[in-house]
Amino acid sequence: MSFPEFEITNETETPVFSYLYEGVCNGNFVIKFTEYLSDVYTTVMTPREFKIVLFCSNELLQNTGFYSINRDLNEMSSAAGIGKFSILGNSEKITISSENAVSLSQVNKVTAKLDEYNSLNADELKTLYKQKLKEDSPEDSKGGGIGFIEILRKSKNPVIYSVFEKDNSIFLKLTITVRRASHDE
């Protein structure tokens, strides 16, 4: 597995950066990515931005690992899905996105959930979060079913999705925007 690094341009006061990955999104990659981001974030983002970006990134990577229908056949893990992942940052925002092939039923489930969650305000999201914590995890979920809720709460922005067909497969692209604060924190 080749591991990409941030590309950083320091031509402005706030560094412009990009991180692009395409491949297996398994537990080993999530750990390696977390360690890498933890080591380099101070050059491109504030501690607050880092916490949000790390959380949202790990959620997207785990979702790709669990739900992509394109799998790494050499790995026995249930979290070995193949997809694309990127982080792009400029002076105004940090954009995190993932893209992977999914089943039609998964597309329908995720888009319905996101339509509902994106329509909620901060107080409604907090109430839903607390309610979900008390419930059992959904049978078809690999986690507690609160990842998207927490992404929305932490990023304070909707999760934008697009669905498209390529090579006879259905792809789901998820995009999260984190508005930037001044780097003077």
Side-chain angles (χ1 to χ4, degrees):
M1 164 193 335
S2 67
F3 191 82
E5 294 187 2
F6 273 97
E7 293 196 17
I8 303 168
T9 305
N10 286 312
E11 295 172 4
T12 61
E13 188 177 320
T14 303
V16 173
F17 62 93
S18 64
Y19 179 87
L20 306 170
Y21 173 75
E22 186 170 356
V24 178
C25 297
N26 58 13
N28 290 335
F29 180 77
V30 172
I31 291 168
K32 193 172 180 183
F33 171 77
T34 298
E35 290 170 349
Y36 172 71
L37 189 59
S38 298
D39 288 343
V40 301
Y41 84 88
T42 57
T43 60
V44 294
M45 63 186 89
T46 66
R48 179 194 153 279
E49 292 166 343
F50 164 71
K51 288 177 187 175
I52 297 167
V53 168
L54 181 62
F55 177 83
C56 294
S57 296
N58 283 344
E59 285 293 320
L60 291 183
L61 288 167
Q62 289 173 7
N63 283 346
T64 300
F66 285 130
Y67 300 111
S68 179
I69 59 174
N70 294 334
R71 313 297 296 169
D72 179 354
L73 302 177
N74 296 321
E75 189 167 325
M76 305 313 281
S77 166
S78 64
I82 297 171
K84 293 180 182 180
F85 173 77
S86 67
I87 304 174
L88 304 171
N90 61 32
S91 62
E92 299 163 9
K93 64 186 177 182
I94 301 170
T95 305
I96 309 158
S97 65
S98 67
E99 177 184 310
N100 57 281
V102 293
S103 67
L104 181 58
S105 64
Q106 191 65 27
V107 164
N108 292 335
K109 178 183 165 197
V110 169
T111 58
K113 204 178 270 191
L114 286 174
D115 286 341
E116 174 191 351
Y117 295 170
N118 282 337
S119 72
L120 302 176
N121 65 35
D123 289 336
E124 293 167 328
L125 284 168
K126 184 177 181 179
T127 300
L128 180 60
Y129 171 77
K130 288 179 178 181
Q131 174 189 330
K132 293 281 186 189
L133 286 177
K134 295 176 185 175
E135 297 174 357
D136 290 335
S137 295
E139 283 184 32
D140 59 348
S141 176
K142 307 292 187 209
I146 60 170
F148 287 133
I149 297 168
E150 279 295 89
I151 287 171
L152 291 164
R153 291 181 69 208
K154 290 177 187 299
S155 72
K156 296 183 172 100
N157 285 300
V159 176
I160 306 300
Y161 65 83
S162 59
V163 179
F164 59 95
E165 192 170 325
K166 182 172 72 175
D167 301 327
N168 296 320
S169 293
I170 299 170
F171 283 78
L172 176 64
K173 181 175 182 176
L174 301 173
T175 303
I176 301 160
T177 301
V178 178
R179 300 277 174 227
R180 302 215 59 184
S182 167
H183 271 268
D184 298 329
E185 270 184 30

